[in-house]
Amino acid sequence: MMSNIEIQRIEKSKIDSVDFNNLPFGSVYSDHMLTCDFKEGKWQSPKIEPFAPIALDPSAKIFHYGQSIFEGMKAYKDTKGNMMLFRPLENCNRLNKSAERLVIPQIPEDIFMDGLKKLLEIDSAWIPTNDGSSLYIRPFMFATGNGFHASPADAYKFVICTAPSGAYFAGKIKVLIEEKYARAANGGVGYAKAGGNYAAQFYPTQLAIEKGYNQVIWTDDNTHQFIEEAGAMNIFVRINDTLITSPTSDRILDGITRKSILQIAADNGIKTEVRKISVGEVVEAAKNGNLKEMFGAGTAAVISPIAGFGYQENDFDLPELENPYAQKLKKLITDIQTNKAEDPYGWRVMV
């Protein structure tokens, strides 16, 4: 554990004002946050301080050129009060992969991991223990250096904030297969968790919502003939008894939940394929009854079942299965995450 973390504790916690039985997702914030500045060519000593607004100059480059990246993680507490994380080094490595693509200095692993663990120790009381709840963790980095000239900034800030949260989605969702807009393009930043990726999603998603859908299934930018992601999540399609997901690429995020599902599914006798999935294949499978399940996979929701999809003015409903893969896989993953099951993979990291 790093010894040079400066700690400033909040004078009075706000935890007593929080209803932990009715937590929205990601909109109630814990007492403290970790911050660390990059300036004069190096990372400074990290600080843990009360959660508070961040002051920035209007010329800070984050406002003008969008150098901003983030991660999503969760902390859990078991019945004995042990705190744990799920594959946190994957998040650290992916954040640095995003940083490289946006010319942001990479965060040292010890600042990320030791700072996060110390923050969780200080705010351990904020980790919910209700089923389905967790402490959502948001590490992010952005440009704080000033200037209106179009170039990378010379200063950055790394922050970790946490938010006790309930379930991300309630129930199944209905999605629209996108035929015009694209989430990402070859050679672009689709594989990075860049803030601008999500900003660009909002407009086509809003158009889908206005048509009565909850989310968009993104297709490839060139032909719109291959499905790639579901909203802000990776997508899985079950045709008969085979679970299929798209390969990662410049356009598709290398999801940590995605790769965990592939491993657990294979180890539990579920046939998996990583390959391109055409829209035509999915529509045909829906028509002939071979399409059994579709679901999104990501940190926030873990697994979010899709009840139906729309394509070219036609709607297709998915069947109600007695023992869906989505339900089985979600339980297997969350049992590892919450220390209710053995972890044969070494994914669970105790704090």
Side-chain angles (χ1 to χ4, degrees):
M1 180 68 73
M2 293 178 65
S3 58
N4 62 336
I5 302 176
E6 180 184 328
I7 298 172
Q8 178 191 348
R9 293 180 182 265
I10 198 165
E11 290 184 9
K12 179 175 172 53
S13 175
K14 55 183 181 289
I15 196 167
D16 291 340
S17 66
V18 176
D19 180 2
F20 278 81
N21 294 314
N22 294 286
L23 287 170
F25 187 89
S27 57
V28 174
Y29 309 107
S30 312
D31 284 331
H32 298 90
M33 62 183 184
L34 177 91
T35 64
C36 190
D37 289 306
F38 180 91
K39 56 186 179 182
E40 298 172 356
K42 64 180 181 180
W43 287 102
Q44 309 298 304
S45 295
K47 301 176 184 177
I48 291 175
E49 54 193 305
F51 182 91
I54 295 171
L56 290 172
D57 193 285
S59 65
K61 290 199 173 184
I62 176 57
F63 300 131
H64 308 282
Y65 304 113
Q67 280 181 289
S68 174
I69 56 176
F70 70 96
E71 276 296 321
M73 311 169 63
K74 287 180 178 178
Y76 308 86
K77 192 181 283 185
D78 67 14
T79 54
K80 296 180 180 178
N82 298 308
M83 295 182 289
M84 63 214 79
L85 295 159
F86 184 71
R87 308 186 77 173
L89 285 176
E90 293 280 352
N91 293 98
C92 181
N93 293 337
R94 191 172 63 184
L95 187 70
N96 281 331
K97 188 177 178 182
S98 299
E100 180 181 36
R101 182 62 178 83
L102 272 76
V103 198
I104 296 172
Q106 298 190 11
I107 190 76
E109 186 180 299
D110 61 340
I111 292 178
F112 186 101
M113 288 300 302
D114 293 348
L116 173 57
K117 288 182 177 180
K118 190 63 181 177
L119 179 64
L120 293 177
E121 287 175 15
I122 291 172
D123 277 348
S124 63
W126 285 88
I127 303 177
T129 54
N130 298 345
D131 278 349
S133 297
S134 60
L135 186 72
Y136 186 75
I137 302 167
R138 172 53 58 87
F140 59 102
M141 290 197 281
F142 61 95
T144 55
N146 302 331
F148 292 148
H149 48 289
S151 62
D154 60 2
Y156 298 85
K157 186 179 284 286
F158 171 65
V159 184
I160 302 178
C161 298
T162 64
S165 298
Y168 190 66
F169 286 120
K172 294 186 177 183
I173 59 172
K174 186 180 176 185
V175 296
L176 179 66
I177 295 179
E178 182 57 54
E179 299 178 64
K180 177 180 179 182
Y181 297 98
R183 193 193 82 87
N186 287 329
V189 296
Y191 69 90
K193 282 188 74 72
N197 290 350
Y198 297 80
Q201 290 185 31
F202 294 154
Y203 177 66
T205 302
Q206 186 59 42
L207 294 179
I209 289 170
E210 290 170 3
K211 293 179 180 178
Y213 300 92
N214 304 99
Q215 260 297 351
V216 165
I217 288 185
W218 301 105
T219 51
D220 69 286
D221 64 305
N222 186 27
T223 67
H224 294 289
Q225 291 303 305
F226 295 93
I227 68 172
E228 298 202 325
E229 293 199 356
M233 297 182 288
N234 294 116
I235 189 166
F236 283 82
V237 174
R238 176 184 172 186
I239 296 179
N240 292 318
D241 290 332
T242 301
L243 197 59
I244 312 164
T245 192
S246 305
T248 55
S249 67
D250 283 353
R251 304 184 306 276
I252 297 177
L253 190 72
D254 186 11
I256 296 162
T257 305
R258 171 190 176 276
K259 63 179 72 175
S260 303
I261 287 171
L262 286 171
Q263 180 72 63
I264 290 175
D267 292 347
N268 282 271
I270 296 173
K271 183 182 178 184
T272 62
E273 292 181 1
V274 179
R275 62 170 175 82
K276 286 186 173 183
I277 313 163
S278 73
V279 175
E281 179 183 11
V282 172
V283 171
E284 183 60 30
K287 287 179 178 178
N288 63 28
N290 292 333
L291 181 64
K292 305 301 183 185
E293 294 181 70
M294 296 172 68
F295 56 83
T299 297
V302 185
I303 288 176
S304 183
I306 294 170
F309 69 91
Y311 180 65
Q312 293 186 342
E313 306 300 323
N314 293 307
D315 282 335
F316 301 88
D317 293 324
L318 275 80
E320 290 278 351
L321 302 181
E322 193 168 325
N323 296 299
Y325 287 174
Q327 186 179 60
K328 177 179 181 177
L329 291 167
K330 183 172 184 176
K331 185 177 191 315
L332 288 168
I333 289 177
T334 56
D335 280 356
I336 291 174
Q337 290 173 333
T338 55
N339 206 18
K340 293 177 181 175
E342 292 299 314
D343 175 17
Y345 311 105
W347 291 341
R348 191 167 56 224
V349 175
M350 308 308 286
V351 177

